[in-house]
Amino acid sequence: MSPSFSYQIDPATGSLQSCLRALEDSAVYQEMPGSLQFVAELILDELASNTLKYGGPDCHEIIFTADFDGHELRVTLTDDAAPFNPWTDAPVIDDSRVEDLEDIEIGGRGIHMLLQATDTRHYERRDGKNVHILTRRAHRNQDALAA
């Protein structure tokens, strides 16, 4: 059975550090290649921090889970904040006009990075909660070459 990681982030404290430390100490993280460790940290940093910043006073629960089956990382972030689909509601960045990530104005930069770093992104509103599911293959470049 593949290892799994789950952590409930307390929106009242506004800190992701304890979740990040717990993730780094987890069996699932230890089994991931470094490139996927980076992606898991990026998802945590960008999606969870956006929820903490913009989720509003009604956000009382953020749950971060990560699974790795040896081939694919799957991260789920669930929160009870106001409905927000970052893949359709966030500002769109025109890749053709970006020479450097620093050229992108604040507002959409993190979502842009996640679009580049993940293979799939899914959002749904389920039982009054935002559910974000993101995946990334371990051997992304090799899979593309084989196709």
Side-chain angles (χ1 to χ4, degrees), residues 51-129:
T51 302
L52 289 170
K53 287 178 195 171
Y54 307 114
D58 294 332
C59 181
H60 304 289
E61 175 182 83
I62 303 171
I63 300 172
F64 178 88
T65 63
D67 299 287
F68 178 62
D69 65 4
H71 302 286
E72 183 177 71
L73 167 66
R74 177 186 172 101
V75 172
T76 304
L77 187 88
T78 306
D79 65 68
D80 61 352
F84 182 74
N85 179 348
W87 319 118
T88 60
D89 300 340
V92 176
I93 307 296
D94 180 0
D95 278 347
S96 67
R97 302 185 65 174
V98 176
E99 292 182 31
D100 187 309
L101 191 58
E102 296 301 317
D103 294 339
I104 301 172
E105 293 182 34
I106 300 298
R109 186 183 299 174
I111 297 303
H112 178 76
M113 289 188 300
L114 290 175
L115 286 168
Q116 303 303 310
T118 58
D119 294 321
T120 67
R121 294 143 307 275
H122 174 74
Y123 168 83
E124 65 182 81
R125 186 77 177 169
R126 183 187 323 147
D127 300 325
K129 296 182 180 179

Side-chain angles (χ1 to χ4, degrees), residues 11-22:
T13 66
S15 174
L16 300 178
Q17 290 305 311
S18 56
C19 182
L20 179 59
R21 281 193 299 277

